């Protein structure tokens, strides 16, 4: 593991005095890993993992990214050159007092509970009590989605300006590349469902359906990049830039 400098802080963390408390923190080659404590007196829907164990899982997931996906690791390195990269394990995410009909595994935010929001760019991914229990390789793909995907959008000053469907289309493309690099079984039920949600199926749109329709209409020769068990994600991301320029030209945000 590329870890160094364990810090345990049961009161205020010196990294940011705005944080009321953290359970533990690590540095992973310039990426700050933090574990927040559970709320006292709250009943959770699942058992909570130990904060140190949570940090170890985050570090192992980063190991997978840096070892097996140079493409994704390069995007995260670009974030590090431009600002502060942090990953937080928060057992309180999603809010235990809200409906659990939809379980949010992780999310990207420039600032979270007093952490982040620094003068330069801040790239922060939050992993919740459910996501931390996913397999390390699945967790690695989630971190690619949040950091390489949404983090790059924030780096390029469009995280807050794009439509949600376009934000997610681009981030899901990064996640697709991670699954390829991690050699996930593309014939598995989970990967088939992922591909369906990415592109759409039948009369149901996926996150990238608008993007695909734009390609089909304007650059049909590029549709071949989709027509594979492993779509050519770098080429699709290039085409996505053209799609966004065209969308902006039409006043679509």
């Amino acid at each position: 593991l590329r870890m160094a400098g364990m810090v345990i802080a049961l009161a205020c963390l010196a990294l940011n005095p705005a944080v009321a408390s953290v359970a533990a923190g690590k540095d992973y080659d310039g990426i700050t890993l933090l574990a927040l404590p559970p709320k006292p007196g709250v009943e959770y829907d699942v058992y909570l993992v130990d904060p140190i164990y949570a940090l170890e899982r985050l570090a192992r997931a980063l190991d997978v990214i840096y070892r097996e996906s140079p493409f994704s690791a390069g995007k995260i390195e670009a974030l590090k050159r431009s600002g502060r990269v942090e990953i937080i394990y928060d057992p309180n995410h999603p809010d235990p007092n809200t409906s659990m009909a939809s379980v949010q595994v992780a999310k990207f935010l420039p600032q979270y509970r007093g952490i982040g929001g620094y003068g330069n760019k801040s790239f922060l991914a939050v992993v919740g009590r459910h996501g931390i229990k996913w397999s390390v390789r699945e967790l690695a793909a989630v971190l690619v989605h949040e950091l390489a995907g949404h983090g790059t959008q924030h780096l390029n000053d469009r995280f807050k300006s794009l439509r949600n469907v376009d934000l997610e289309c681009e981030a899901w493309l990064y996640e697709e590349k991670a699954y390829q690099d991690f050699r996930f079984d593309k014939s598995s039920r989970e990967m088939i469902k992922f591909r369906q949600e990415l592109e759409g199926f039948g009369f149901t749109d996926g996150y990238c359906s608008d993007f695909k329709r734009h390609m089909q209409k304007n650059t049909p020769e590029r549709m071949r990049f989709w027509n594979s068990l492993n779509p050519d994600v770098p080429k699709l991301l290039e085409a996505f830039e053209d799609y966004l320029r065209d969308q902006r030209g039409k006043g679509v945000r």
Side-chain angles (χ1 to χ4, degrees), residues 83-102:
R84 195 166 189 162
V85 180
E86 297 174 300
I87 306 173
I88 297 173
Y89 162 63
D90 186 359
N92 307 295
H93 176 73
D95 188 334
N97 295 316
T98 61
S99 170
M100 293 304 299
S102 175

Side-chain angles (χ1 to χ4, degrees), residues 2 27-32 62-63 65-67 69-87 121 123 143-144 146-149 151-152 155 174:
R2 296 150 51 108
D27 176 81
Y28 179 98
D29 196 27
I31 300 173
T32 299
L62 287 170
D63 277 340
I65 295 171
Y66 276 85
R67 183 175 63 246
S69 183
F71 179 83
S72 303
K75 298 298 181 181
I76 296 174
E77 287 297 301
L79 304 185
K80 288 167 58 178
R81 290 191 295 270
S82 300
R84 195 166 189 162
V85 180
E86 297 174 300
I87 306 173
K121 290 287 187 182
F123 308 96
L143 293 180
V144 167
E146 303 300 339
L147 291 177
T152 298
L155 177 65
Y174 279 101

Side-chain angles (χ1 to χ4, degrees), residues 3 20 44 60 107 130 150 211 216 220 227 232 234:
M3 295 183 295
Y44 292 89
R60 288 173 60 197
K107 65 179 177 181
H130 301 284
H150 293 314
F211 171 45
Q216 182 67 61
N227 298 331
D232 190 333

